[in-house]
Amino acid sequence: MLTAPINKILPYSVVDGPGNRVAIFVQKCNIHCAYCHNPETQNLCSGCGACVEGCPAGALKMEQGRVVWDEKLCCGCDRCIKVCPNHASPKVTPMTAQQVFAKVCESIPFIRGITVSGGECGLYPEFLMELFRLAHTKGLSCLMDSNGTIDLSRYPELMEICDGVMLDVKSWKEETFRQLTGSGNEVVKKNLKYLADSEKLTEVRIVCLPGMVDAEDCILGISRTLSGEQIRRLPLKLIRFRHFGVKGALENHPSPDLAYMQGLEALARAQGFEKILIL
Ligand code: SF4
Ligand code: SF4
């Protein structure tokens, strides 16, 4: 049966979309953001074994070239994640949509819906369709949290069943986006328009990091791409970069100050955004 590699399932989250939701994090991403705050979700485990010996709980072992994780023994210290040289985690479980749905059901009736994040959930369209179909049988809304680099217009069936997409606009200029992620952003811009026109754009997020992210250009670019009415209705989250969880060159980088964030907010307001949140 079809499975997706699942990094973790949060039974309750109020920061992954509207209301209380189950947040499901898939493993693997198709881009590599320098500011990623959960870099351990970026790659699938290569089976190098570097994390096994240091596990204080004996929860990891190698079997036939693969690392095997024993959840019952694991104390959750995350030492394995810190030592992994591959931006991966040994604590990933392949799960079917039915198995994930069974976990989701444990949180009913305290949730409004589910949000699938990652990693990049758009890498698993068939899995998402199956999971969303199941979630809808319980009246749950189904959101995707996406980096926008997979052309979602190629998956009309998924978009039909998906209630909305929380879209990252990481940078507007192609070269800035490439420096930040190692990839181009043409598809992100296409998705922005496609999702807004099909009324599936739940919110747009910009992680603000002066010098690395052209947040001003993002705000102006989004406002030029969408209609005035779309802009007025669109929740815009301006997220202050924080170094927690970040690995690499930005792991001790300071956050932008409040004055910078308020300047961005004023710029967005001048373009017609009304639902702006600084985080
Ligand atoms: S988090 Fe990782 S290192 Fe820590 S006990 Fe669990 S498997 Fe072992
Ligand atoms: S999780 Fe990382 S360190 Fe552990 S075996 Fe996989 S790639 Fe190696």
Side-chain angles (χ1 to χ4, degrees):
M1 217 185 286
L2 186 73
T3 63
I6 303 298
N7 180 287
K8 66 177 169 228
I9 299 175
L10 296 180
Y12 306 104
S13 169
V14 291
V15 296
D16 293 289
N20 201 8
R21 317 183 72 78
V22 173
I24 298 137
F25 294 82
V26 297
Q27 186 73 15
K28 196 171 177 211
C29 192
N30 56 331
I31 60 173
H32 295 92
C33 300
Y35 61 48
C36 182
H37 63 274
N38 49 2
E40 74 279 5
T41 64
Q42 287 182 359
N43 294 319
L44 294 174
C45 172
S46 68
C48 74
C51 59
V52 172
E53 206 171 302
C55 172
L60 300 173
K61 63 180 174 190
M62 291 301 291
E63 265 180 20
Q64 297 173 334
R66 287 175 53 242
V67 66
V68 177
W69 172 56
D70 187 332
E71 187 172 4
K72 291 192 199 79
L73 293 178
C74 177
C75 65
C77 68
D78 281 349
R79 192 190 174 281
C80 49
I81 287 169
K82 288 187 195 97
V83 301
C84 177
N86 191 35
H87 287 185
S89 166
K91 301 186 288 177
V92 171
T93 310
M95 294 176 78
T96 63
Q98 284 78 5
Q99 287 169 325
V100 173
F101 179 61
K103 298 296 282 180
V104 168
C105 286
E106 291 172 14
S107 297
I108 296 173
F110 305 108
I111 51 165
R112 192 198 289 189
I114 66 171
T115 299
V116 188
S117 184
E120 172 49 41
C121 65
L123 293 172
Y124 306 101
E126 304 287 334
F127 170 86
L128 290 180
M129 276 194 282
E130 212 166 318
L131 177 60
F132 290 175
R133 264 189 218 111
L134 290 166
H136 278 169
T137 64
K138 296 288 183 188
L140 299 170
S141 67
C142 299
L143 300 181
M144 292 169 61
D145 175 341
S146 175
N147 66 33
T149 58
I150 289 166
D151 185 350
L152 295 172
S153 68
R154 287 172 45 213
Y155 302 100
E157 269 183 78
L158 171 60
M159 287 299 100
E160 182 67 31
I161 198 165
C162 172
D163 293 301
V165 177
M166 299 152 69
L167 183 72
D168 291 336
V169 175
K170 294 173 183 293
S171 167
W172 197 258
K173 287 194 211 83
E174 167 87 17
E175 67 196 72
T176 318
F177 193 95
R178 205 170 277 285
Q179 276 165 13
L180 188 68
T181 69
S183 175
N185 65 350
E186 197 183 323
V187 176
V188 182
K189 293 176 183 178
K190 183 179 178 192
N191 276 327
L192 174 71
K193 177 100 179 88
Y194 166 74
L195 291 170
D197 288 350
S198 48
E199 303 199 337
K200 297 283 181 176
L201 189 57
T202 300
E203 68 178 35
V204 162
R205 291 90 54 94
I206 304 169
V207 174
C208 304
L209 178 57
M212 295 273 313
V213 173
D214 54 352
E216 296 84 352
D217 289 332
C218 290
I219 292 167
L220 295 172
I222 295 165
S223 65
R224 279 196 304 267
T225 305
L226 306 186
S227 72
E229 182 56 20
Q230 287 170 336
I231 292 290
R232 201 180 62 74
R233 290 202 314 247
L234 179 64
L236 174 68
K237 284 191 179 155
L238 301 173
I239 303 171
R240 200 188 301 203
F241 166 81
R242 292 176 180 84
H243 64 76
F244 307 112
V246 174
K247 278 185 174 177
L250 296 175
E251 63 188 33
N252 290 311
H253 199 85
S255 302
D257 60 24
L258 188 57
Y260 174 73
M261 300 301 294
Q262 287 171 334
L264 293 178
E265 182 186 12
L267 178 66
R269 216 164 276 288
Q271 308 314 308
F273 287 96
E274 293 182 4
K275 299 178 180 177
I276 307 167
L277 198 58
I278 295 180
L279 296 171

